[in-house]
Amino acid sequence: MSGVTWTAAQTAVVLSPVIAIFGAALVALLTYALNRRVARRDRRALAFGEALSVIEDYAEMPYRIRRRSGTLDGRQQLTEEVSRIYSRLAFHQALLDIEAPAVAAAYRLLANEAKAEVGEQMKVAWQKPVRTTDPEMNLEEHYTRVRVDVARDHCVAVMRAALGQGRFPVRPPAVTSSAGSAGRRSARPAASPSAQPPVIPIARPAAEPSKRSSLKPSAQPPAQGRPRDPGAGSDGAGPAQ
């Protein structure tokens, strides 16, 4: 029986289908992984956007309260809307706790700042008189949202980092308290950095008088004359005869 020789051409014919199969499987696996990553990124971006929209809806409530109709149905609709917003805040907070814990911490800070700032503004808005005419719907003053904006910028930066579009912030921003509505300022003036604390004079106790000066002068004995001679007269002229 003659020997069979294996040529390079035959090896290439056998390996070509195998390489093609492995190549196709690898491409399919990479495509699936990339598509899954993109889908997860899109899903997280959508969740982040919806979570931020709830904050914006909550920040608009003082304006809606100022433009309320004044009827019982209008008040019930506004109160129900506030309840729905609180429910949505809790839902998105729980979703972010599961999906992105780092973003959840920043969103919790944003929600707390919104409740502190916007909640006070809503309380003030409910105490304002009802607007009944069309020109009155144009509000002359706007509500400040300094705390909400600072916390929102921090939350957006964390969300971008979670989506791979930046770095995570080192620390949360220092949020300063602001007034509940525009024009409200703190009655306490800000301290000047160069102001010195007032000097309070210390009352010193009066010095105790000296013992010598406090003592009364001793009574001196009356001046006594020269002792009289018993033999002299009463007038002192000489001895009595």
Side-chain angles (χ1 to χ4, degrees):
M1 184 176 181
S2 60
V4 178
T5 58
W6 190 266
T7 61
Q10 294 174 338
T11 303
V13 171
V14 174
L15 293 179
S16 295
V18 177
I19 294 174
I21 293 174
F22 277 103
L26 181 60
V27 170
L29 182 61
L30 291 177
T31 303
Y32 173 76
L34 291 176
N35 291 337
R36 184 177 180 182
R37 182 178 180 181
V38 172
R40 182 172 181 268
R41 180 179 177 277
D42 294 341
R43 184 179 69 251
R44 297 179 72 177
L46 180 61
F48 296 164
E50 291 178 351
L52 292 176
S53 67
V54 181
I55 299 295
E56 296 300 327
D57 292 342
Y58 187 68
E60 287 293 323
M61 287 306 300
Y63 296 98
R64 297 185 60 182
I65 294 174
R66 288 292 304 276
R67 297 186 177 99
R68 65 188 183 274
S69 61
T71 61
L72 179 60
D73 294 337
R75 290 193 297 270
Q76 290 180 350
Q77 290 178 0
L78 290 174
T79 54
E80 291 176 358
E81 180 65 22
V82 174
S83 299
R84 283 193 295 268
I85 290 177
Y86 276 108
S87 178
R88 292 167 59 196
L89 284 173
F91 167 77
H92 287 287
Q93 184 65 65
L95 180 62
L96 293 177
D97 285 332
I98 299 172
E99 187 71 19
V103 178
Y107 188 77
R108 183 176 291 105
L109 174 64
L110 174 58
N112 292 336
E113 292 298 327
K115 292 176 182 179
E117 187 173 35
V118 180
E120 184 66 23
Q121 295 173 357
M122 289 193 297
K123 183 186 301 184
V124 175
W126 280 114
Q127 299 174 359
K128 297 290 184 179
V130 178
R131 296 172 179 260
T132 56
T133 62
D134 294 340
E136 291 179 348
M137 295 301 168
N138 297 320
L139 302 180
E140 297 81 7
E141 59 182 8
H142 298 279
Y143 293 98
T144 59
R145 41 179 295 171
V146 178
R147 299 174 62 176
V148 175
D149 289 340
V150 173
R152 182 182 180 275
D153 293 341
H154 172 71
C155 186
V156 170
V158 175
M159 289 177 176
R160 288 175 57 86
L163 296 175
Q165 299 180 0
R167 296 183 179 180
F168 284 95
V170 178
R171 64 184 61 183
V175 183
T176 58
S177 60
S178 61
S181 60
R184 291 185 62 188
R185 297 178 181 268
S186 175
R188 185 177 181 180
S192 174
S194 60
Q196 300 292 337
V199 179
I200 302 176
I202 301 177
R204 297 182 178 179
E208 297 182 359
S210 176
K211 294 183 178 180
R212 294 183 179 181
S213 60
S214 61
L215 296 177
K216 295 182 179 180
S218 58
Q220 298 181 358
Q224 297 180 358
R226 185 178 55 183
R228 189 173 57 177
D229 188 1
S234 58
D235 53 358
Q241 297 295 330

